[in-house]
Amino acid sequence: MTDAFMGPPWQMDWRLDALARLDALPEHVQKKVAEARAELVTARDPYFRGIDADAGLPETMYVEPVRSTDPKGPRILYFDNHRGWLVYAFIPRDEDPQITVVEVFWQ
């Protein structure tokens, strides 16, 4: 029996409204979002479960559940020292697992 688990790099998809917000951001912020995206798609576990699971992220980024009562639900990745965030969900299918970004924000 083979291991059906597919690992990084993960596929990433964007909701159209999130993609439109990304395109509206200044170019230097889009680069910060690209850095955050790179961290997500290469993470072994995009949900960063466990104690200090996000310790490998740069100091300017960290991940937490959107709602603590929904540990398998969407996550929020803060970047640029809390100036921005990505809300995303990870769908861990055996075939074609992917990350879906539902919101991007920067202030």
Side-chain angles (χ1 to χ4, degrees):
M1 185 154 132
T2 62
D3 184 9
F5 178 75
M6 296 178 65
W10 306 107
Q11 299 292 324
M12 182 176 267
D13 196 12
W14 294 73
R15 276 187 21 176
L16 292 177
D17 55 342
L19 192 57
R21 289 193 70 156
L22 173 65
D23 291 341
L25 293 173
E27 187 174 335
H28 74 282
V29 177
Q30 289 182 17
K31 289 180 183 177
K32 292 179 186 296
V33 172
E35 292 169 7
R37 179 196 177 281
E39 293 292 338
L40 273 179
V41 299
T42 58
R44 179 76 177 140
D45 177 8
Y47 270 170
F48 297 94
R49 291 173 278 228
I51 298 171
D52 293 331
D54 60 356
L57 289 174
E59 288 184 20
T60 61
M61 296 180 197
Y62 78 92
V63 175
E64 67 183 20
V66 172
R67 291 187 332 220
S68 62
T69 58
D70 190 8
K72 292 185 179 183
R75 293 288 197 261
I76 186 164
L77 168 67
Y78 294 99
F79 64 92
D80 195 19
N81 292 314
H82 279 89
R83 294 190 71 194
W85 65 75
L86 294 173
V87 177
Y88 67 95
F90 177 62
I91 300 126
R93 299 180 288 233
D94 284 341
E95 292 184 27
D96 193 30
Q98 77 177 43
I99 296 168
T100 302
V101 176
V102 295
E103 181 182 354
V104 61
F105 180 81
W106 185 81
Q107 55 188 355

